[in-house]
Every structure is written in C-alpha cells, then in structure tokens.
Amino acid sequence: MNRNPALNFSIFVIVIAITLGALTWVNYRFSVQNPGGNDFLAKWMGAEKWLKEGLSPYDPRVSRETQALIYGHPADPSKGEDINHFVYPMYSMVFFAPFVYMDFTLARAIWMTALLVLFSVIWYHGARTIILGQPSMLVAFLTILSLNLIKQKQDTAAGAILVFATIKPQMVFLLVPFVFLWAYSVRRFRIITGFLITFAIAMAITLALVPSWPMQMIGQMLEYPSYVFTISPLATIAEFFPGIQPLFGQALHAVAYLYLLVQWINAWQKDERWFLWTALMTLVVTHLTAFRTASTNFVVLLPALLLVFRIMEQRWKGIGKGVVVGMMLVLLAGLWWLFVLTIVGNQESQAMFLPVPLFLFAALWWSRWYALRPQKLMLEEMATRFR
C-alpha cells in the first residue's frame, strides 16, 4: 500500500465521495418525501434574501416569507407557530451562503449530510472507529444502505449488500435472521435470494482461492478470549451484582432475546415502518447482548438515534429541537468525559459499552407507538403543521 501513496489517496477520496454522494441521495429522497427542515429553512431564506436581493436577513419580510412556505400564512404565535426569525450573527453566513444557489430540498439534503458527517466523526464511537481504522464504519454504511434499499423496494440489491455487512458477524448476527423472517412474511423473496446467491458466489470464489479459510478463521476466533475483551454490555451490568452475577446476567440476556422475539412476531406481515423500527431495535439488542463487541461497532446505531431525534422534533415541535440539540451535545461531550474519567492506562473502560445502547433501547421503546402509528395519522399531522 505504501508503494503508491498517490493512488492510495485517490482511491480514498473516491470512496469518500461515493459514500457522501450516496448519503446525500438518501437524505434528498427523505427530504422529498418528508417536507420540513424548518429550522434550516429560516437560515437558508435569510442567506438567500441577503445575497440575491440585498435584503437584511433580520428584515421582518424575510421571516414572513419563511412563514408562508411553512404554514401558508403569517405565523400565529398564539397557536404555537414558530415565527422563524433569522437570529444568528451575521458571520454565520459563512456556513449558510454556499447553499443559496440551489433548490432548498437539495440544500437541506446536503446540510443534513454535513451535520451527520460532522457528528459521526466527532462523537466518541465515530472518532474511535476512525482512529483505530476499524471496518465497523464500512459495515455500518453497508447495513444502513441495505435497510434503505429495502425501504425503497430494491430487494435484490438490498439482500446482496447485506452479505458484505456480515464481514463483522457480531454486528448483524440478529439482523440477518430478522430480515429473512420479515421478507418471507411479506413475500419479498428477492431479499432472501439476493442474499443467498451473493453469499454462495462469495463463498465459491473464496473457497476456490483458499479452501481451508473457514476452519482457519474459526481457529483464530477460538483464541479471542485469551487476548480480547469478550463480555457483553448486559453481562457488564450483571457485574454490579457479584452475588448473583451469573444468574442475573443470563436472565438479562434471556429477557432481551424474549423481548426481541416478541417484536419480530409483531412485525410479521407488517409494512416498512414496522420493519425499520424492528430492525433498529434488533441492532440495539444485538449490541447489548453480543459477547464479542466493541465500542466502535456502535456507529451502526446512528440510524436509531436519528429516528428518535426525528420523532422528538415531530412530537414536541419547537421544544423538541432544543431537546435534540441538547442530547447531541451530551452525546458529544458526555461520552468523551466518561472516557477520560474511566480510562485505565490506554484501555477504554467497560463503562463505554453501556450509555449508547441502553439509551437507544429506552428511546426506541418510548418512540414505538409514534413510529408505528398508521401512516394516515402521520400525514394528517404533517399537513396540519405545514398549512
């Protein structure tokens, strides 16, 4: 790899560009299907009016135009409608100005990508993944892409891509059987055949090249406990009760798996909303129960975090944005603070395995009713917000 650094760098740039392009496309499709982004709209409108018309972003006319796009009429604060003033300092234009010469929906998609990338890189689990060079980020990307393709009904491609997410089996060992069960229940067999055919091809090629690789891999996996941390987050919780630790740990795992099984049964023959929520809960339970996990693997839980944030904004409207920003700050600063507080030598503490999956388990459980409510009710509520 060191023989041609220019080529290596070029490949790296291309992969990053493709990844960001795919993420932006996903965000664009989401923006088209889910009008919103009111908070960003106020900043985008202020920048656009200033650069294109020379109008101060603080001019009331700018706010009224923003209100017209959101509500179809001037905002009525007595009804809880946000007046959406541009309340940022003028030098914030350095961030908003680049977006004004494009359609708002596209601008919103790119802005969402930029914020997601920034948060993903800076928060503890993302930064640790990058610093260590862990393939967890790649697995997370492939997993998220596969779930999105299922939502878009690109079933064969979704199944094929899910195969390559299994390069770290401990990250998706529960997700794959759930995807199979749900796909069978809704008669979307191409997800299963796409996975199985791709897996068969990958196995045939690699076995032809190195016939003994499965046994060699298993042999090295059996050596894991001698040099690698192999305790699940739920087992870590059980350590706080040394007198009943083994039994309590087994009980926690049994309850988690039973709860997940109930959710799988509930998702049987249900639509994509049920599938997505249950898939995200499956990923969370996976990382609570996996006995060979790593804090870097938690990057795959970002979609669950985004779903919870979106529901908070929809349910709590104006105050929800503040709650989401506050939680993001807690996750950014709090996880790093916990790492510094608990680090032993150069080894992270078991404490780093608990906050994110436990929080997301509780948050997804809390959001379940709203995430799975009939689509008609959600559309009616959105229509009310944007009238």
Side-chain angles (χ1 to χ4, degrees):
M1 291 295 289
N2 294 328
R3 293 178 180 177
N4 196 336
L7 177 60
N8 295 339
F9 180 75
S10 299
I11 293 174
F12 175 77
V13 171
I14 292 172
V15 170
I16 292 297
I18 292 174
T19 302
L20 293 179
L23 181 58
T24 301
W25 177 80
V26 170
N27 286 333
Y28 181 77
R29 295 297 305 166
F30 173 82
S31 299
V32 169
Q33 298 170 6
N34 300 273
N38 300 350
D39 199 51
F40 177 61
L41 176 60
K43 285 72 178 175
W44 180 84
M45 184 68 73
E48 185 195 44
K49 293 300 180 183
W50 177 57
L51 289 175
K52 291 185 176 181
E53 301 179 19
L55 195 62
S56 168
Y58 309 100
D59 192 298
R61 288 173 290 179
V62 176
S63 300
R64 285 196 293 270
E65 188 152 348
T66 303
Q67 295 162 18
L69 286 177
I70 297 174
Y71 306 112
H73 57 78
D76 185 352
S78 66
K79 296 180 179 179
E81 296 176 345
D82 193 332
I83 57 179
N84 287 284
H85 284 327
F86 185 95
V87 292
Y88 283 54
M90 197 64 186
Y91 52 78
S92 66
M93 286 294 179
V94 70
F95 299 108
F96 305 125
F99 296 93
V100 302
Y101 291 98
M102 62 183 72
D103 172 75
F104 172 71
T105 302
L106 177 60
R108 179 190 172 200
I110 297 176
W111 179 256
M112 289 165 64
T113 299
L115 292 181
L116 181 56
V117 169
L118 182 62
F119 177 78
S120 301
V121 170
I122 292 177
W123 81 317
Y124 173 79
H125 298 295
R128 183 174 175 82
T129 299
I130 294 171
I131 292 170
L132 296 180
Q134 265 276 350
S136 304
M137 191 71 78
L138 175 60
V139 173
F141 170 72
L142 293 172
T143 303
I144 296 166
L145 179 58
S146 179
L147 294 178
N148 184 69
L149 288 172
I150 291 174
K151 182 180 178 183
Q152 300 297 327
K153 292 184 169 58
Q154 302 294 320
D155 291 351
T156 303
I161 288 172
L162 187 59
V163 170
F164 297 99
T166 64
I167 62 172
K168 291 197 71 173
Q170 65 269 39
M171 292 181 65
V172 293
F173 76 93
L174 292 176
L175 179 66
V176 172
F178 167 67
V179 170
F180 275 36
L181 288 171
W182 179 82
Y184 178 82
S185 77
V186 295
R187 300 299 186 264
R188 289 174 62 173
F189 299 114
R190 289 185 179 181
I191 298 175
I192 301 173
T193 56
F195 182 98
L196 294 178
I197 291 173
T198 304
F199 181 74
I201 293 173
M203 289 294 292
I205 293 174
T206 54
L207 285 172
L209 295 173
V210 185
S212 61
W213 75 259
M215 295 305 299
Q216 292 176 2
M217 183 188 75
I218 292 173
Q220 296 207 348
M221 288 176 61
L222 293 176
E223 296 181 11
Y224 255 174
S226 65
Y227 66 95
V228 174
F229 177 74
T230 55
I231 183 172
S232 72
L234 289 184
T236 298
I237 295 175
E239 289 186 341
F240 290 99
F241 306 90
I244 56 172
Q245 178 182 342
L247 182 60
F248 188 51
Q250 293 170 9
L252 286 176
H253 284 82
V255 170
Y257 288 135
L258 180 60
Y259 174 79
L260 188 60
L261 178 60
V262 171
Q263 301 312 318
W264 286 9
I265 294 172
N266 288 336
W268 185 264
Q269 295 184 333
K270 297 298 198 311
D271 60 18
E272 285 86 357
R273 289 177 299 110
W274 282 81
F275 167 78
L276 180 59
W277 184 91
T278 310
L280 295 179
M281 178 59 82
T282 300
L283 287 172
V284 171
V285 173
T286 296
H287 290 84
L288 280 171
T289 59
F291 278 89
R292 173 62 192 110
T293 189
S295 61
T296 54
N297 295 353
F298 295 168
V299 292
V300 79
L301 302 180
L302 274 172
L305 193 63
L306 296 179
L307 175 65
V308 170
F309 285 170
R310 181 165 68 91
I311 290 175
M312 286 179 175
E313 287 194 357
Q314 289 178 343
R315 291 191 66 176
W316 299 335
K317 298 183 173 60
I319 194 174
K321 298 174 183 176
V323 172
V324 168
V325 171
M327 286 189 171
M328 290 181 70
L329 291 175
V330 169
L331 287 172
L332 284 173
L335 289 174
W336 282 110
W337 173 81
L338 182 61
F339 170 72
V340 172
L341 189 67
T342 60
I343 187 172
V344 180
N346 62 352
Q347 182 66 42
E348 68 176 348
S349 165
Q350 293 175 219
M352 300 308 303
F353 291 76
L354 299 177
V356 169
L358 287 177
F359 165 73
L360 284 175
F361 182 87
L364 282 177
W365 178 82
W366 164 82
S367 69
R368 183 179 183 277
W369 180 85
Y370 194 84
L372 303 181
R373 66 193 302 194
Q375 189 71 15
K376 182 179 178 181
L377 294 179
M378 295 181 68
L379 293 175
E380 289 176 353
E381 179 171 329
M382 290 176 65
T384 301
R385 291 183 62 193
F386 291 103
R387 273 205 298 264

